[in-house]
Amino acid sequence: MDRDSVEELVSLEAVQRLVLSSCLPLGPIEIGLSDALGFVLAEDVRALEDLPPFSNTAMDGYAVRADDTASAPVELSVIGVLPAGAAPAQAVGPGTAVQIMTGAPMPPGADGIAIVERTEPGSSDSKVRILDRVSPGAYVRPAGSDLRRGDLAVAAGTVIGPAHIGLLASVDATRITVHARPSVGVLSTGDELVGGTVPLELGQIRDSNRQGLLASLQRDGFVGIDLGVRPDDEEAISAGIREGVECCDALLTSGGVSMGEFDFVKVVLERLVAEVGGQVHQFKLAIKPAKPLSFAAVATPGGRLVPVFGLPGNPVSSMVSYQVVALPALRKLAGHHSPLPRRIPAVAADDLERRPDGKLHLLRVIAAMGADGHIVVRSAGGQGSHQLAALAASNALALVPDGLGVTTGGDVQILLTGSLE
Ligand code: AMP
Ligand code: MG
């Protein structure tokens, strides 16, 4: 055991629950379809038209009366040619056919398609020989066979992808109601931080959390707002957090939430909530990395509650606590119905060692598809909370419960943070 008593640590699940319960989906907005990718639909969308809008052919060939082909091979008179986009000029009567291209409307009288591959030239230019019997409905796509007018096209809660946009466009649903996308401020704190390509003085480091968190927000479909770096000064941090709460739907800070003398984020959040209302929590999560975390839901004059995540400063900790605590909350703001990350079963390809300490360890691992169809994981490198290299090399976090770890071949659950190799 390390010096934290297990009692004062709170489980990741409890923190996720509490944080999610203080976040509400952002109000609905109406947007055009071309802007809708990645938004969460706030209201069901129904088809305004039948899809397809008219009965049409699925293949190039000849529109025929199925009855006429009962004793195939048969010869029929070709009375016209119908390309896609044209309306039929004449009906198909007994003994006749219309040459037809994929997507063209079925001419009246015809009830099946003889595909061109199963036809031959007839005894004259205006005749065609149909080789096989055509069944009624063959290669015909009836009106409304994809969606009928009034059918549910896309349900509320759906994350709009390219196929949804195509579907909605095809039923003329060109404006849709979605949850607004959260704009999220990102603020780094620390006297040691420098931005830009200046030489480092002893004691200084480059600010990596802001860049990493802004990129995470971009990847996850939120609007990141760069609020810069603040020194370890209560006034400066207070001004930064107030600015963030005013301008954003949520705020991420990093640094200043542990037990150090200059950890002002905690203090500032306590004072701010005491002044304007809301709630504030200082957590010690039973996870490694990313034990300390401040969370506040800060009341605004407009009656909103702005979630503020005081993430720990260590670079791996800030990214991991974003992933497991802030991201689910932001997904809830964005309207996702299942905001928590999915735990996926995997198998350890190497020993994933650890010591008992009352915490869930989130190891940076490389996950890949194994030959037997299972996902296999191996360590991505040094697991220190300052070791960004292994985080960068990883595409998953392995959830290794308290104990001595998982031995090679053992089961382990993972959270994917990148795409599977
Ligand atoms: P803190 O949480 O403020 O005690 O910081 C913990 C560790 O994370 C210290 O080594 C800090 O220098 C480092 N750190 C804090 N903020 C950042 C940042 N924005 N980028 C890189 N490292 C940071
Ligand atoms: Mg600090």
PDB file of all heavy atoms in Angstrom, residues 368-376:
ATOM      1  N   ALA A 368      -3.810  -5.169 -30.499  1.00  0.00           N
ATOM      2  CA  ALA A 368      -3.839  -5.601 -31.903  1.00  0.00           C
ATOM      3  C   ALA A 368      -4.730  -6.828 -32.018  1.00  0.00           C
ATOM      4  O   ALA A 368      -5.008  -7.507 -31.020  1.00  0.00           O
ATOM      5  CB  ALA A 368      -2.426  -5.947 -32.370  1.00  0.00           C
ATOM      6  N   MET A 369      -5.198  -7.116 -33.229  1.00  0.00           N
ATOM      7  CA  MET A 369      -5.990  -8.329 -33.433  1.00  0.00           C
ATOM      8  C   MET A 369      -5.034  -9.523 -33.442  1.00  0.00           C
ATOM      9  O   MET A 369      -4.086  -9.562 -34.223  1.00  0.00           O
ATOM     10  CB  MET A 369      -6.706  -8.285 -34.788  1.00  0.00           C
ATOM     11  CG  MET A 369      -7.979  -7.479 -34.821  1.00  0.00           C
ATOM     12  SD  MET A 369      -9.126  -7.748 -33.444  1.00  0.00           S
ATOM     13  CE  MET A 369      -9.634  -9.414 -33.751  1.00  0.00           C
ATOM     14  N   GLY A 370      -5.274 -10.488 -32.557  1.00  0.00           N
ATOM     15  CA  GLY A 370      -4.458 -11.703 -32.530  1.00  0.00           C
ATOM     16  C   GLY A 370      -4.913 -12.664 -33.622  1.00  0.00           C
ATOM     17  O   GLY A 370      -6.007 -12.514 -34.184  1.00  0.00           O
ATOM     18  N   ALA A 371      -4.077 -13.659 -33.909  1.00  0.00           N
ATOM     19  CA  ALA A 371      -4.365 -14.611 -34.991  1.00  0.00           C
ATOM     20  C   ALA A 371      -5.672 -15.362 -34.724  1.00  0.00           C
ATOM     21  O   ALA A 371      -6.382 -15.735 -35.654  1.00  0.00           O
ATOM     22  CB  ALA A 371      -3.208 -15.577 -35.127  1.00  0.00           C
ATOM     23  N   ASP A 372      -5.995 -15.588 -33.442  1.00  0.00           N
ATOM     24  CA  ASP A 372      -7.199 -16.371 -33.121  1.00  0.00           C
ATOM     25  C   ASP A 372      -8.454 -15.512 -33.020  1.00  0.00           C
ATOM     26  O   ASP A 372      -9.496 -15.977 -32.580  1.00  0.00           O
ATOM     27  CB  ASP A 372      -6.976 -17.124 -31.807  1.00  0.00           C
ATOM     28  CG  ASP A 372      -6.708 -16.160 -30.647  1.00  0.00           C
ATOM     29  OD1 ASP A 372      -6.658 -14.935 -30.892  1.00  0.00           O
ATOM     30  OD2 ASP A 372      -6.565 -16.630 -29.510  1.00  0.00           O
ATOM     31  N   GLY A 373      -8.333 -14.227 -33.405  1.00  0.00           N
ATOM     32  CA  GLY A 373      -9.518 -13.365 -33.387  1.00  0.00           C
ATOM     33  C   GLY A 373      -9.714 -12.611 -32.097  1.00  0.00           C
ATOM     34  O   GLY A 373     -10.601 -11.772 -31.997  1.00  0.00           O
ATOM     35  N   HIS A 374      -8.893 -12.894 -31.081  1.00  0.00           N
ATOM     36  CA  HIS A 374      -8.967 -12.100 -29.841  1.00  0.00           C
ATOM     37  C   HIS A 374      -8.103 -10.865 -29.979  1.00  0.00           C
ATOM     38  O   HIS A 374      -7.118 -10.864 -30.720  1.00  0.00           O
ATOM     39  CB  HIS A 374      -8.442 -12.919 -28.649  1.00  0.00           C
ATOM     40  CG  HIS A 374      -9.380 -14.006 -28.230  1.00  0.00           C
ATOM     41  ND1 HIS A 374      -9.149 -15.331 -28.491  1.00  0.00           N
ATOM     42  CD2 HIS A 374     -10.560 -13.939 -27.581  1.00  0.00           C
ATOM     43  CE1 HIS A 374     -10.157 -16.045 -28.018  1.00  0.00           C
ATOM     44  NE2 HIS A 374     -11.030 -15.223 -27.461  1.00  0.00           N
ATOM     45  N   ILE A 375      -8.468  -9.828 -29.216  1.00  0.00           N
ATOM     46  CA  ILE A 375      -7.585  -8.664 -29.157  1.00  0.00           C
ATOM     47  C   ILE A 375      -6.484  -8.984 -28.155  1.00  0.00           C
ATOM     48  O   ILE A 375      -6.763  -9.448 -27.047  1.00  0.00           O
ATOM     49  CB  ILE A 375      -8.366  -7.408 -28.707  1.00  0.00           C
ATOM     50  CG1 ILE A 375      -9.425  -7.066 -29.757  1.00  0.00           C
ATOM     51  CG2 ILE A 375      -7.427  -6.235 -28.482  1.00  0.00           C
ATOM     52  CD1 ILE A 375     -10.346  -5.928 -29.351  1.00  0.00           C
ATOM     53  N   VAL A 376      -5.237  -8.771 -28.560  1.00  0.00           N
ATOM     54  CA  VAL A 376      -4.123  -9.006 -27.646  1.00  0.00           C
ATOM     55  C   VAL A 376      -3.452  -7.664 -27.334  1.00  0.00           C
ATOM     56  O   VAL A 376      -3.422  -6.762 -28.168  1.00  0.00           O
ATOM     57  CB  VAL A 376      -3.085  -9.991 -28.225  1.00  0.00           C
ATOM     58  CG1 VAL A 376      -3.676 -11.383 -28.343  1.00  0.00           C
ATOM     59  CG2 VAL A 376      -2.567  -9.526 -29.573  1.00  0.00           C
TER      60      VAL A 376
END
